[in-house]
Amino acid sequence: MWRRRRTAALGIAAVLAAAALSAAGQERSHVVTAAGRSVPRAYVVSHDGRVQVLDTKDGQVVASANTGAWTTGAAVGPSGRRVYVVNGWAGVITAVDPVAGEVTGRIETRAQLAQAVLRPDGQRLYVTGGGAVAVVDPVSFRLVAAIKAGAQPQGIAITPDGRRLYVANSQDGTVSVLDTASATPKTTIDVGGMPQHVAVGPDGDAVYVSSVDAAGGAGTVSMIDPHADVVRWSTPVGRGAGSIAVTPDGRRVYVALNRRVAVVDTTTHVAKALRLRAKTLAIAPGDRRVFLSTGKTATVLDSADNRVLTTYQLSGLQDDGRGVATTAIAFEPFDPSS
C-alpha cells in the first residue's frame, strides 16, 4: 500500500497546454576528500522501489523506505529530508521521508517517466518523460509546469547556476537545452546515436553526453560547449554507454558500459576501460570518490588513481537475499555554507 499525506494526478500533456497559455557490510573504511568535502550519505535506489541510505564511511544502512513500484531515477533534497523517486513505468513521482521510512506524497503524471534532477537551490524538481520535462514544486509537491523536449527524453542534468537543463532525447539523437526561468526550450543540439545520460562539469563549462549507436551498440561520449551549444568533440568508449559522471576537478568522465566502466580524460579525449561491471555510477559534488553499483555490491573508487577503496555488500539489503539491482545512486545537493 502507498502511504502518503497528499496525492496529485495531472497529465504532462495538460500541463504543457496550460504552460502554453500562460507562456550492508563492508571490507574496510576509507574516507577520501577533495576540495574539503566527503559526502556522509549515499542514497541507493533499487529497481524494486526501495530507498536505502548508506553511511559512506562504513556502508551501514542508516535509513530506508519503500516506494512500492519499479524505479528509473531519483534525486535528493537538501539535508536529505526528502528523496524524490521516479517510479517510471507507473508514471509516478514519489516523495519519501527516508528517516521515517514513509512515502509522504506522489504525483501521477499518466506518462512513462525516466530520470530526475533537483535545482541546486532545492526549489524545483525536473523529471523527464512523455516528450517533456515535468516541473515539480517540492514544497507543495505538485506539478506546476512542463517543458517540451525531444523524442523519448531520458537523462537530465542542470548547470551549477540552475539556469539551464540539458536533456538527452534517446529517439531523435539530440540534446534539448531548456531555460529554467521561463520554463521554455532554448535550442536543440544534434549529438547522434541514442543519447542516454547527461552530466555537467563542476564549473558549468562542459556538458557530457553518453550515447549508443542504434545499429551496433557502440558507445560514445560527446562534449557540448554550453557557451555556444555545439558539440566540441566525441570519443568512442566501448559497447554500450549509460550512466555518466564527472570528477570534481573536471578532468575525468566515468561511463557505465555493458561489461566495463570507461574513464575519459577530458583533455586528451582518450578513454580507458576498467574491468568492472556497473549498472549505474555517481560522483557527489566535491567528493572525488566514484560510487558504482556492481551487482550485489557497491564499489567505491578513488578517481585519482581508480583504486578500489572499499566494497559494500549490498546483498544484505534485500529480504530475499538476491541482492540489489540498483537504479540510481544519488546524493544531497552541495551546500557551500557547510
Side-chain angles (χ1 to χ4, degrees):
M1 272 307 277
W2 293 92
R3 288 180 292 173
R4 60 193 185 275
R5 287 199 288 268
R6 64 176 71 96
T7 300
L10 189 56
I12 285 180
V15 177
L16 275 172
L21 291 173
S22 62
Q26 55 102 35
E27 294 175 352
R28 58 195 183 278
S29 177
H30 296 266
V31 179
V32 179
T33 61
R37 176 169 166 79
S38 177
V39 293
R41 292 176 292 273
Y43 297 78
V44 179
V45 180
S46 60
H47 191 273
D48 66 359
R50 300 185 186 203
V51 179
Q52 306 282 349
V53 186
L54 302 185
D55 184 321
T56 65
K57 290 188 290 238
D58 57 19
Q60 296 300 308
V61 179
V62 297
S64 64
N66 194 347
T67 64
W70 283 7
T71 65
T72 54
V76 182
S79 301
R81 291 187 295 270
R82 288 291 181 274
V83 180
Y84 303 100
V85 177
V86 184
N87 302 113
W89 292 11
V92 173
I93 307 165
T94 304
V96 173
D97 180 337
V99 176
E102 294 180 351
V103 170
T104 62
R106 57 182 188 133
I107 298 171
E108 299 176 3
T109 66
R110 304 192 186 106
Q112 186 169 327
L113 305 175
Q115 302 292 319
V117 70
L118 196 70
R119 204 166 70 189
D121 63 7
Q123 296 302 303
R124 286 293 183 268
L125 175 71
Y126 302 96
V127 183
T128 56
V133 173
V135 184
V136 175
D137 181 343
V139 177
S140 62
F141 200 58
R142 63 186 183 92
L143 196 59
V144 296
I147 313 171
K148 184 173 176 56
Q152 197 171 332
Q154 295 290 321
I156 184 170
I158 194 165
T159 53
D161 60 12
R163 295 180 179 177
R164 282 184 162 198
L165 292 165
Y166 287 83
V167 181
N169 303 307
S170 64
Q171 289 302 306
D172 61 16
T174 66
V175 170
S176 294
V177 185
L178 311 179
D179 181 83
T180 60
S182 61
T184 58
K186 287 186 65 70
T187 190
T188 301
I189 304 166
D190 187 2
V191 297
M194 299 174 65
Q196 301 296 305
H197 289 259
V198 192
V200 178
D203 57 5
D205 285 339
V207 178
Y208 301 96
V209 185
S210 62
S211 187
V212 177
D213 178 71
T220 60
V221 168
S222 300
M223 183 277 215
I224 294 172
D225 178 349
H227 302 292
D229 288 330
V230 296
V231 174
R232 292 300 185 193
W233 53 264
S234 294
T235 189
V237 292
R239 288 190 60 80
S243 183
I244 187 168
V246 190
T247 56
D249 59 11
R251 295 179 180 178
R252 289 167 296 283
V253 174
Y254 286 74
V255 190
L257 308 179
N258 285 352
R259 297 178 179 271
R260 295 287 188 270
V261 171
V263 186
V264 179
D265 186 307
T266 59
T267 300
T268 64
H269 314 157
V270 173
K272 68 176 182 180
L274 304 180
R275 298 179 68 84
L276 292 166
R277 292 190 184 187
K279 294 293 185 182
T280 189
L281 54 82
I283 300 173
D287 189 328
R288 78 179 191 223
R289 293 175 296 175
V290 186
F291 292 78
L292 311 174
S293 166
T294 46
K296 295 183 178 182
T297 61
T299 300
V300 185
L301 304 181
D302 183 348
S303 63
D305 55 12
N306 295 320
R307 177 169 51 100
V308 175
L309 297 173
T310 190
T311 300
Y312 303 141
Q313 302 297 328
L314 295 182
S315 58
L317 301 183
Q318 290 282 39
D319 294 336
D320 58 15
R322 292 182 302 172
V324 173
T326 304
T327 298
I329 302 172
F331 304 95
E332 298 162 23
F334 175 60
D335 181 0
S337 64
S338 61

